[in-house]
Amino acid sequence: MTQDRTWPAVSVVMPVLNEERHLTDAVRRIVTQDYPGELELVLAIGPSRDRTEEIAAKLATEDPRIVVVANPTGRTPQGLNIAIKASQYSIIVRVDGHSLLPADYVRAAVETMEETGADNVGGIMAAEGVTPFEQAVARAMTSKLGVGNARFHTGGEAGEVETVYLGTFKRSALERVGGYDETFVRAQDWEMNHRIRQSGGKIFFTPRMRVTYRPRPNLRALAKQYFHTGRWRRVVGREHQGTLNLRYLAPPLAVLAMTAGTVAGAFGIWPGWLLPGGYAVAMVAGAAVEGRGLPVSAWVRLPLVFATMHVSWGVGFLTSPPGLGQPTPNKP
């Protein structure tokens, strides 16, 4: 029956910036998909500081299914919209330059979409690290202590959800809501999925779709990632009232509590030190549990990774400027 059926043609879109390290592997995983239907890959290349553009051009000469377009801003939502506009098929698979797809990813996406009628389907963001630091980050990103209970991070049963990692969309759904909102430099996936749900669409999670994700390679890059994620998640909350819950508020509340405790302790109110101290003990204890099975070199880094993710996200959320995400007024 699989051989007799007609499989829809699929467009894979990938915004790319400074991905010299991972781009070739990411593209190979796409063009070697075990998918019976037609497939194209559109790479939206930003102004990279490494050999990304050179590598993309070479890959395109090796496979006529690969199309390269320019993304002058280098920003993700602009790159996605440019790639989608340059694509030709009715199903759009979003992929990142540092994500590695399993061979059956596109097939699983199409089958899930047909079975559920969903406008967007996605699966698990399976973080996997190479270095000890990356391994610690990967474990934190797949644990409830690190990122809460989002199914695309921690897994779970198939079903309707608020958002998914990356996503495979019906082009009609993207056109219905006007594509990605280009003011959202970060959190554009959550914001897009919210608008799809508001328009009557369905977002569906399935553990069949599992994407290998390469975490940030050092503490500075990790802190920057979560700081900006926190900032932009607050923008989503301002734009779409009622979308913030305890999972999103926990990091900023923890930062406020630890700051208040530290200030109190510094002024001689010694019980105040129990707040930052208790948090530190909780992270060490949590790492002792969540880090089981990790190499020791990764395990010892886990408490610092947890704290960096929580505090950076919380500080980003608390310091998110009111004008962030608002269109810039035209100057006279």
Side-chain angles (χ1 to χ4, degrees):
M1 292 182 64
T2 298
Q3 293 177 345
D4 293 340
R5 65 160 293 176
T6 300
W7 292 84
V10 169
S11 296
V12 182
V13 297
M14 180 192 294
V16 183
L17 180 70
N18 298 322
E19 289 290 357
E20 175 184 358
R21 181 181 175 191
H22 300 301
L23 182 58
T24 298
D25 287 341
V27 168
R28 297 293 186 210
R29 294 289 190 97
I30 294 167
V31 298
T32 58
Q33 282 288 298
D34 176 22
Y35 183 67
E38 291 186 51
L39 182 147
E40 69 171 352
L41 168 61
V42 183
L43 302 175
I45 308 297
S48 301
R49 299 185 300 273
D50 57 15
R51 295 178 56 249
T52 294
E53 294 182 49
E54 176 187 339
I55 293 170
K58 182 176 184 296
L59 291 168
T61 63
E62 296 172 352
D63 192 323
R65 296 174 298 170
I66 300 175
V67 178
V68 176
V69 295
N71 174 20
T73 68
R75 293 180 175 176
T76 298
Q78 283 86 344
L80 287 166
N81 284 337
I82 289 169
I84 291 167
K85 185 177 180 180
S87 67
Q88 57 182 320
Y89 298 134
S90 61
I91 294 179
I92 308 293
V93 179
R94 182 203 165 163
V95 182
D96 284 339
H98 47 270
S99 300
L100 302 177
L101 302 186
D104 65 344
Y105 184 84
V106 173
R107 179 193 289 265
V110 170
E111 290 178 343
T112 302
M113 183 172 285
E114 292 180 345
E115 292 167 1
T116 63
D119 284 306
N120 182 20
V121 300
I124 296 175
M125 182 182 183
E128 295 181 9
V130 177
T131 67
F133 179 82
E134 291 173 351
Q135 290 172 342
V137 175
R139 181 61 59 88
M141 292 183 71
T142 55
S143 74
K144 291 183 179 181
L145 179 60
V147 293
N149 61 356
R151 274 184 269 185
F152 72 86
H153 278 301
T154 60
E157 296 182 357
E160 288 191 50
V161 291
E162 291 185 342
T163 190
V164 290
Y165 177 53
L166 300 178
T168 294
F169 300 84
K170 292 178 181 176
R171 180 184 290 273
S172 59
L174 298 177
E175 293 175 347
R176 185 173 73 239
V177 299
Y180 285 89
D181 187 332
E182 295 185 359
T183 61
F184 282 83
V185 177
R186 303 286 179 97
Q188 64 275 155
D189 290 322
W190 202 103
E191 196 278 336
M192 161 73 85
N193 286 317
H194 177 76
R195 284 187 287 122
I196 290 176
R197 289 187 292 109
Q198 290 293 98
S199 71
K202 180 192 299 185
I203 312 299
F204 198 88
F205 166 84
T206 174
R208 286 185 62 195
M209 298 170 65
R210 185 180 180 90
V211 184
T212 299
Y213 171 86
R214 296 303 187 200
R216 295 299 191 269
N218 54 59
L219 200 64
R220 180 178 180 181
L222 180 68
K224 181 178 179 180
Q225 176 189 12
Y226 274 80
F227 174 79
H228 287 291
T229 300
R231 278 197 156 190
W232 283 95
R233 188 60 189 82
R234 187 169 183 182
V235 175
V236 175
R238 286 195 292 258
E239 183 76 16
H240 302 290
Q241 296 295 318
T243 62
L244 293 175
N245 55 36
L246 184 58
R247 174 187 163 215
Y248 300 113
L249 296 175
L253 289 175
V255 169
L256 289 174
M258 288 189 288
T259 302
T262 300
V263 171
F267 278 90
I269 306 174
W270 69 263
W273 293 113
L274 293 175
L275 291 170
Y279 175 82
V281 170
M283 292 304 101
V284 172
V289 175
E290 298 288 351
R292 286 178 295 190
L294 282 176
V296 174
S297 56
W299 198 348
V300 298
R301 291 169 166 81
L302 196 51
L304 182 59
V305 166
F306 278 135
T308 299
M309 291 165 61
H310 296 161
V311 173
S312 298
W313 205 102
V315 171
F317 186 94
L318 292 169
T319 61
S320 180
L324 189 65
Q326 299 300 313
T328 302
N330 294 324
K331 295 182 179 180

